[in-house]
Amino acid sequence: MKITFTLNDETLTMDVKEDIRLLDFLRDELGLTGTKEGCGEGECGACTVIIDGKAVNSCLVLLPEIDGS
Ligand code: FES
Protein backbone atom coordinates (compact mmCIF):
# COMPACT_ATOMS: atom_id res chain seq x y z
CA MET A 1 0.00 0.00 0.00
CA LYS A 2 1.09 3.58 -0.53
CA ILE A 3 1.47 5.87 2.49
CA THR A 4 2.48 9.50 2.90
CA PHE A 5 4.07 10.82 6.07
CA THR A 6 6.48 13.49 7.24
CA LEU A 7 9.74 12.32 8.76
CA ASN A 8 12.15 14.85 10.22
CA ASP A 9 10.61 17.70 8.17
CA GLU A 10 10.65 15.72 4.90
CA THR A 11 7.40 14.52 3.35
CA LEU A 12 7.69 11.02 1.91
CA THR A 13 5.31 8.88 -0.13
CA MET A 14 6.30 5.25 -0.21
CA ASP A 15 4.95 1.88 -1.25
CA VAL A 16 5.18 -0.32 1.83
CA LYS A 17 4.06 -3.68 3.17
CA GLU A 18 1.13 -3.34 5.53
CA ASP A 19 2.44 -5.70 8.20
CA ILE A 20 5.78 -4.03 8.94
CA ARG A 21 6.28 -2.39 12.32
CA LEU A 22 7.31 1.26 12.27
CA LEU A 23 10.40 0.31 14.28
CA ASP A 24 11.59 -2.16 11.64
CA PHE A 25 10.79 0.26 8.82
CA LEU A 26 12.83 3.06 10.41
CA ARG A 27 15.81 0.84 11.13
CA ASP A 28 15.86 -1.61 8.24
CA GLU A 29 14.35 0.35 5.35
CA LEU A 30 15.46 3.89 6.16
CA GLY A 31 18.66 3.14 8.08
CA LEU A 32 17.58 5.26 11.06
CA THR A 33 19.21 3.08 13.69
CA GLY A 34 18.95 5.68 16.44
CA THR A 35 15.59 4.10 17.18
CA LYS A 36 16.43 1.01 19.22
CA GLU A 37 14.61 -2.24 19.87
CA GLY A 38 14.55 -3.37 23.46
CA CYS A 39 11.66 -5.47 24.64
CA GLY A 40 9.63 -5.36 21.43
CA GLU A 41 6.48 -5.44 23.55
CA GLY A 42 5.77 -1.81 24.40
CA GLU A 43 7.31 -1.91 27.87
CA CYS A 44 10.81 -0.39 27.78
CA GLY A 45 10.47 2.71 25.59
CA ALA A 46 13.75 2.16 23.71
CA CYS A 47 11.88 2.50 20.42
CA THR A 48 10.07 5.74 21.26
CA VAL A 49 9.34 8.16 18.42
CA ILE A 50 7.19 11.29 18.28
CA ILE A 51 4.09 11.01 16.10
CA ASP A 52 1.97 14.13 15.80
CA GLY A 53 3.41 15.45 19.05
CA LYS A 54 2.88 12.29 21.09
CA ALA A 55 5.53 9.85 22.29
CA VAL A 56 4.74 6.42 20.84
CA ASN A 57 6.40 3.01 21.08
CA SER A 58 7.27 2.31 17.43
CA CYS A 59 7.44 -1.43 18.11
CA LEU A 60 3.65 -1.37 18.52
CA VAL A 61 2.83 0.68 15.40
CA LEU A 62 2.18 -0.81 11.97
CA LEU A 63 3.02 1.34 8.96
CA PRO A 64 -0.55 1.97 7.80
CA GLU A 65 -1.11 3.77 11.11
CA ILE A 66 1.34 6.56 10.26
CA ASP A 67 -0.26 7.44 6.93
CA GLY A 68 -0.87 11.19 7.01
CA SER A 69 1.14 11.71 10.22
S1 FES B 1 11.13 -1.99 22.11
FE1 FES B 1 10.49 -1.77 24.17
S2 FES B 1 8.78 -0.46 24.02
FE2 FES B 1 9.33 -0.82 21.95
Side-chain angles (χ1 to χ4, degrees), residues 3-4 10 16 18 21 26-27 29-30 38-39 42 45-46 50-52 56 61 66-67 69:
I3 62 171
T4 299
E10 183 179 0
V16 299
E18 296 179 21
R21 300 181 305 170
L26 291 172
R27 290 183 58 82
E29 302 293 328
L30 300 182
C39 65
I50 305 297
I51 299 177
D52 294 337
V56 175
V61 177
I66 68 164
D67 189 26
S69 297

Side-chain angles (χ1 to χ4, degrees), residues 5-10 22-23 26 32 34-36 45-59 61 65-69:
F5 57 97
T6 301
L7 175 67
N8 297 335
D9 295 325
E10 183 179 0
L22 176 57
L23 172 62
L26 291 172
L32 298 173
T35 307
K36 308 296 186 193
C47 65
T48 301
V49 296
I50 305 297
I51 299 177
D52 294 337
K54 294 177 64 175
V56 175
N57 294 325
S58 62
C59 67
V61 177
E65 299 176 61
I66 68 164
D67 189 26
S69 297

